[in-house]
Amino acid sequence: MWIEIICGLVIYKLVRRFFYDDEFSDVETSDSTALFSVAHRLEKLYGGKAYVGLRIPDADTASRQDIDVVLVTKGEIVVIAVKNLSGIVTVTSDGSWVCEGGKHHTTESFPDPLAEVKKQASVLESYLEQRGVTLLEGNLSCKVVIPNPSFRTIHAFPSEVITYEDWQQLKPASRSKISGWVKGAFSTGKEMQESSHQKLNFILGTAPTWDRVELKSSKIVLGEFLEFKGKQEDTLALRNIKRSKVDHVSIQKTSMFGLAPSRLQVLYSYRDYRSEGSSGAESKEVTVRSSTEVLFQPRDSTKMKKFKLSSLVSISLSA
Ligand SMILES: *[C@@H]1O[C@H](CO)[C@@H](O)[C@H](O)[C@H]1NC(C)=O
Ligand SMILES: *[C@@H]1O[C@H](CO)[C@@H](O)[C@H](O)[C@H]1NC(C)=O
């Protein structure tokens, strides 16, 4: 009898471990957070708008092309791969990178990041063309940003690869740096025509992306929202929250008199298909138990993750 119960428990735990990853693991999530911090800094330095975690449909392969960051400034688009690598990187004869050491003392290998980002840029170019914006040569460039101070290498990389020192030194005031970074936009004084600039922002603003959850710990995880888990009453209350209808969910405490909240206020806004950035989107509010959870599939992991609703600030769903 006891043996059976113990065996049952062990099997239950193993199965749970296999399918879900309750614990918050830094390894998988620091990457997504780095994308946002890089995007944020670029926006501050160069103005314009950065789009993070895009999944651009690739007609040739009938799949999605992941793109970390796309920066749109007046006159240029920069496609950026963020590789927050710590450790020693060697480049092999086929161009791939092997990273050794780092925080977790592992060896990881990546296909040539610059070649990858160029491939992403060409997928993006065809996608924009399909949606009615044709770029000229020189409107688009590629960068690989490595914002990690513990990145070491003996190789000399092409100028498109921005390592920690260069990343630190990027300054809005230094014109020479900018013209190297955003080619043509400032040096020639030419700007994209206002209408094509707006159109570009509209296309990228409505392009498919990863879903994202923002945690109270100010980490952001990209992946795919699957469903809410919890008491039936609560999941029923949340049943309208699906990507076909809703694009943003924010979670608030309903703490009364400083007591630990047992219920959470969930505000969600309906996706607005009518026009670009119109602010009339309808929003709704429901209250659920704080034990309610969110089942999420992070983009870089094979394991699903469960987040307590109370540990989240917001959920954004891609169309
Ligand atoms: C890169 O990863 C390190 C941990 O290895 C982290 O401390 C740092 O904040 C990350 N960089 C960015 C820009 O997010
Ligand atoms: C591309 O660059 C040219 C000149 O540098 C500019 O006239 C044009 O508006 C830019 N943008 C697009 C979307 O073609």
Side-chain angles (χ1 to χ4, degrees):
M1 162 79 171
W2 281 110
I3 303 230
E4 274 141 38
I5 290 175
I6 289 168
C7 284
L9 270 176
V10 167
I11 289 170
Y12 171 77
K13 289 243 161 169
L14 283 176
V15 167
R16 238 181 111 80
R17 264 192 98 119
F18 189 73
F19 286 111
Y20 303 118
D21 192 4
D22 278 325
E23 272 108 85
F24 188 69
S25 140
D26 262 341
V27 189
E28 288 158 17
T29 54
S30 59
D31 280 352
S32 296
T33 308
L35 305 194
F36 287 92
S37 71
V38 165
H40 187 67
R41 175 135 193 263
L42 291 173
E43 281 180 339
K44 266 175 60 183
L45 286 174
Y46 301 115
K49 174 103 183 81
Y51 298 88
V52 180
L54 291 163
R55 304 180 73 194
I56 300 299
D58 179 358
D60 286 345
T61 60
S63 60
R64 302 284 188 95
Q65 176 67 67
D66 271 12
I67 303 182
D68 286 350
V69 180
V70 174
L71 177 71
V72 178
T73 59
K74 286 201 174 160
E76 218 207 13
I77 302 183
V78 193
V79 180
I80 299 144
V82 180
K83 291 262 172 272
N84 190 16
L85 298 175
S86 65
I88 300 164
V89 165
T90 40
V91 180
T92 62
S93 54
D94 67 351
S96 59
W97 291 14
V98 178
C99 181
E100 282 172 273
K103 195 162 64 171
H104 303 280
H105 302 283
T106 49
T107 302
E108 272 185 288
S109 172
F110 311 89
D112 179 355
L114 190 54
E116 291 283 294
V117 78
K118 284 180 176 164
K119 197 168 81 192
Q120 295 165 10
S122 81
V123 172
L124 181 68
E125 227 175 325
S126 338
Y127 176 74
L128 292 175
E129 214 166 302
Q130 270 172 33
R131 293 189 64 180
V133 173
T134 305
L135 297 175
L136 300 174
E137 184 104 23
N139 283 119
L140 191 132
S141 64
C142 298
K143 301 283 171 189
V144 175
V145 174
I146 307 162
N148 201 307
S150 316
F151 174 84
R152 299 275 177 277
T153 188
I154 54 154
H155 299 271
F157 288 119
S159 61
E160 288 101 328
V161 178
I162 316 282
T163 54
Y164 182 71
E165 287 75 26
D166 297 334
W167 176 242
Q168 287 302 299
Q169 280 161 21
L170 288 181
K171 281 191 194 81
S174 132
R175 289 282 143 140
S176 58
K177 270 281 179 197
I178 297 175
S179 59
W181 167 262
V182 183
K183 193 170 39 180
F186 299 87
S187 52
T188 65
K190 283 186 202 155
E191 290 193 347
M192 265 188 214
Q193 286 166 349
E194 198 56 36
S195 67
S196 75
H197 181 71
Q198 272 178 12
K199 197 163 176 191
L200 209 50
N201 276 313
F202 176 67
I203 295 172
L204 290 169
T206 53
T209 61
W210 288 103
D211 299 329
R212 68 183 68 157
V213 291
E214 190 188 340
L215 307 182
K216 286 232 171 87
S217 60
S218 71
K219 292 221 149 87
I220 300 172
V221 187
L222 294 175
E224 200 175 330
F225 166 81
L226 300 169
E227 58 177 341
F228 292 105
K229 290 259 177 204
K231 289 264 190 309
Q232 195 185 13
E233 188 192 333
D234 294 329
T235 53
L236 266 174
L238 296 167
R239 72 187 176 284
N240 279 332
I241 302 181
K242 40 180 124 163
R243 73 179 67 253
S244 58
K245 294 186 186 170
V246 166
D247 60 0
H248 191 80
V249 181
S250 68
I251 293 106
Q252 283 164 9
K253 273 189 208 165
T254 55
S255 177
M256 289 242 262
F257 314 115
L259 295 171
S262 60
R263 302 187 71 78
L264 295 166
Q265 213 176 340
V266 178
L267 282 86
Y268 56 95
S269 54
Y270 283 108
R271 201 177 285 291
D272 193 345
Y273 291 106
R274 283 167 308 179
S275 62
E276 2 196 321
S278 76
S279 54
E282 200 189 335
S283 61
K284 282 254 158 62
E285 184 187 316
V286 289
T287 306
V288 297
R289 284 178 187 76
S290 54
S291 58
T292 309
E293 292 177 317
V294 172
L295 199 55
F296 197 80
Q297 175 63 63
R299 73 166 185 165
D300 301 323
S301 169
T302 51
K303 277 185 184 173
M304 280 185 265
K305 236 178 222 293
K306 269 198 211 162
F307 293 108
K308 289 206 172 64
L309 206 52
S310 57
S311 70
L312 301 182
V313 176
S314 70
I315 308 169
S316 304
L317 300 177
S318 170

